[in-house]
Amino acid sequence: MTGTVKTGQLIKTIVYTLCLLLVGTMCFLMPIYAHATDADNNGDTDGRTYEDAPGDSRTPSDTEDLNVDNVVRVELNNGNGSINGALQIVLILTAIGLIPILLLTLTSFTRIIIVLHFTRQALNTQTAPPNMVLVALAIFLTIYIMSPVFTEMYTNAVEPLNNGEITTEEAFDAGIKPLRTYMYGQTEVKDVSVFMEISGNDDWTGDPDAVPIQVLIPAYVVSELRTAFIIGFLIYIPFLVIDMVVSSVLMSMGMMMLPPTTISMPFKILLFVLADGWNLIIVNLVKTFY
């Protein structure tokens, strides 16, 4: 019975394969006709699709006239500031790819997420709070801290550009200025000086407006990393003391095979809760940006 079933399945497979081959062969062998459109509505579809005879391009203006339909044009609604729908989609997709990078480098996100990570490591709770919770908390704190900067950027750059009051270059300069002010305020002068020297500007006098944006961004990131690690070290100190005390007690009791972290973790959590640790860390972390 099994052999009969297998034979029937094999026959069905062969039949299906032959049918597919037959259909594919017919698709390749069938002629395909393409007709030109009737541009002049005179019933003639055998000619070219252009309405005017081909010209020459002896001057740049002639070339522009000949290729008028082959040129990508970007218009802001005849000067009224609204961008074409297709261009808006391209800009939105580009922004979606750049937003994570900008969020990590040009805002307060880096410092916040590193400090929260150090806090979890000091508590030795492994995955509590989970990564998703820490990232979400860091994002909302970043929005809270950066909201004045974002509001100023929108008011000074986006609104005038949409109203057609300023050009794209003027909008970029007006929009980047609040962000430059924020980043320079959080960046140490020595970091800016080092990157200015690397870029070849040895005669920098300390003027914030003379710092190019491509120099300010890496200097800001380095300063954020330094500040975050300093805060993380300060958070580690009280929990390190608890680990040392627990280790000494276990050694004195001869319980050397018992991991000290197993005993110290409840005491760490108790100390953290009694001291209202999350409030102390988050509130003081936010104050470091003001």
Side-chain angles (χ1 to χ4, degrees), residues 253-275:
M253 295 176 62
M255 304 174 64
M256 294 177 292
M257 300 300 295
L258 182 64
T261 55
T262 304
I263 306 300
S264 63
M265 187 175 67
F267 291 100
K268 290 180 181 180
I269 296 176
L270 178 62
L271 175 64
F272 196 73
V273 172
L274 293 178

Side-chain angles (χ1 to χ4, degrees), residues 76-99:
L76 296 179
N77 197 14
N78 296 327
N80 293 327
S82 65
I83 302 176
N84 179 268
L87 182 59
Q88 286 182 353
I89 295 176
V90 174
L91 294 178
I92 291 173
L93 293 177
T94 304
I96 291 175
L98 293 177
I99 282 175

Side-chain angles (χ1 to χ4, degrees), residues 13-257:
T13 304
I14 294 174
V15 172
Y16 291 154
T17 304
L18 292 176
C19 291
L20 290 176
L21 291 175
L22 179 61
V23 172
T25 305
M26 293 176 62
C27 292
F28 281 109
L29 294 179
M30 290 178 61
I32 300 176
Y33 300 97
H35 299 279
T37 58
D38 185 8
D40 299 328
N41 296 322
N42 57 5
D44 182 16
T45 59
D46 296 330
R48 299 289 297 272
T49 57
Y50 56 77
E51 295 186 5
D52 300 327
D56 54 6
S57 56
R58 298 179 180 178
T59 62
S61 59
D62 294 337
T63 304
E64 183 179 356
D65 294 336
L66 289 174
N67 298 306
V68 65
D69 293 331
N70 298 327
V71 178
V72 177
R73 295 180 179 270
V74 179
E75 296 181 357
L76 296 179
N77 197 14
N78 296 327
N80 293 327
S82 65
I83 302 176
N84 179 268
L87 182 59
Q88 286 182 353
I89 295 176
V90 174
L91 294 178
I92 291 173
L93 293 177
T94 304
I96 291 175
L98 293 177
I99 282 175
I101 300 175
L102 299 179
L103 179 64
L104 291 175
T105 56
L106 305 185
T107 64
S108 57
F109 181 85
T110 301
R111 185 190 306 182
I112 294 173
I113 193 64
I114 291 177
V115 171
L116 293 179
H117 173 74
F118 273 123
T119 303
R120 187 177 66 179
Q121 289 294 106
L123 286 171
N124 196 27
T125 54
Q126 302 300 325
T127 58
N131 290 331
M132 187 176 296
V133 175
L134 293 183
V135 172
L137 179 59
I139 290 175
F140 284 112
L141 289 177
T142 300
I143 294 174
Y144 173 79
I145 294 170
M146 301 296 298
S147 58
V149 179
F150 293 154
T151 302
E152 188 176 356
M153 293 172 64
Y154 182 82
T155 303
N156 297 343
V158 179
E159 284 186 347
L161 179 63
N162 289 335
N163 297 330
E165 300 174 358
I166 59 177
T167 62
T168 306
E169 292 79 7
E170 293 173 343
F172 176 79
D173 294 336
I176 203 67
K177 186 176 181 180
L179 189 60
R180 284 176 54 91
T181 303
Y182 160 78
M183 288 194 297
Y184 188 82
Q186 302 296 327
T187 307
E188 295 189 12
V189 178
K190 63 178 182 180
D191 295 325
V192 180
S193 301
V194 169
F195 282 98
M196 289 292 286
E197 293 177 2
I198 295 174
S199 62
N201 299 320
D202 298 333
D203 55 348
W204 182 59
T205 59
D207 184 12
D209 297 331
V211 181
I213 189 66
Q214 65 270 18
V215 174
L216 182 58
I217 291 177
Y220 168 76
V221 174
V222 171
S223 295
E224 286 292 283
L225 292 175
R226 181 188 299 108
T227 304
F229 272 74
I230 292 174
I231 298 174
F233 170 75
L234 296 177
I235 292 174
Y236 251 103
I237 291 177
F239 299 106
L240 181 62
V241 171
I242 294 177
D243 285 333
M244 294 176 62
V245 171
V246 171
S247 298
S248 300
V249 172
L250 291 177
M251 288 284 291
S252 62
M253 295 176 62
M255 304 174 64
M256 294 177 292
M257 300 300 295

